[in-house]
């Protein structure tokens, strides 16, 4: 059974309430229930924090053991060299995901500090971005 860690960064605890026109009406917990039902052959762990260092700690804790990490670093995507270094430091491939199409939004969202350290990037498909990332890990590479 493949072990996948989903990590959500700052403000993503407010999904469903936060700017619903951008991020939708569904809470992450209810989305996660559906995802676990759809992928019973995968063990999906979930972690969310608004604190940069806690995201880094979680990457360290899972990055030598899990088969995949799906990371939505929220606004830290655009600022955090420390997250870039953490992704580089571990063995587990990390996929960067975003709910919104950051390239169709403000210019400060166009730059990602973490993309170059990630295995790939999926963005703009709403919460389905996370499911598409899971599809990558489902297949053996
Ligand atoms: C986001 C995009 C980021 O620019 C923003 O700061 C977020 C959410 C997304 O999933 O679309 O918090 O990562």
């Amino acid at each position: 059974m493949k072990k996948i860690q989903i990590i959500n960064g700052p403000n993503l605890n407010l999904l469903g309430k936060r700017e619903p026109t951008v991020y939708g009406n569904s809470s992450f917990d209810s989305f996660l229930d559906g995802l676990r039902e759809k992928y019973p052959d995968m063990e999906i762990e979930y972690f969310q924090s608004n604190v940069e260092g806690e995201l880094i700690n979680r990457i360290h804790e899972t990055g030598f053991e899990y088969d995949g990490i799906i990371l939505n670093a929220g606004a830290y995507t655009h600022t955090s060299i420390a997250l870039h270094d953490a992704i580089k430091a571990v063995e587990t491939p990390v996929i960067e995901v975003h709910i919104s199409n950051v390239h169709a939004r403000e210019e400060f969202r166009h730059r990602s500090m973490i993309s170059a350290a990630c295995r790939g990037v999926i963005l703009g498909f709403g919460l389905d971005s996370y499911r598409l990332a899971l599809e990558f890990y489902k297949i053996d590479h």
Side-chain angles (χ1 to χ4, degrees), residues 10-12 18 22-23 72-78 97-102 105 108-109 130:
N11 301 307
L12 292 164
R18 172 195 185 197
V22 179
Y23 298 113
N72 185 345
Y76 288 137
T77 304
H78 315 298
V97 302
H98 299 284
I99 297 164
S100 64
N101 178 354
V102 287
R105 300 180 63 195
F108 63 82
R109 296 185 202 277
Y130 295 86

Side-chain angles (χ1 to χ4, degrees), residues 74-127:
Y76 288 137
T77 304
H78 315 298
T79 61
S80 180
I81 297 168
L83 269 175
H84 174 109
D85 287 349
I87 295 163
K88 278 221 141 161
V90 298
E91 284 167 1
T92 302
V94 177
I95 300 179
E96 173 185 350
V97 302
H98 299 284
I99 297 164
S100 64
N101 178 354
V102 287
H103 297 292
R105 300 180 63 195
E106 302 96 322
E107 205 169 326
F108 63 82
R109 296 185 202 277
H110 296 180
R111 187 180 67 160
S112 168
M113 301 302 285
I114 64 172
S115 295
C118 288
R119 179 69 178 75
V121 183
I122 299 172
L123 59 90
F125 296 98
L127 288 172

Side-chain angles (χ1 to χ4, degrees), residues 33-48:
D33 288 345
L35 204 60
R36 285 181 172 137
E37 255 168 51
K38 236 177 248 159
Y39 293 88
D41 50 339
M42 294 176 110
E43 196 180 317
I44 305 169
E45 279 287 322
Y46 177 56
F47 178 80
Q48 190 278 330

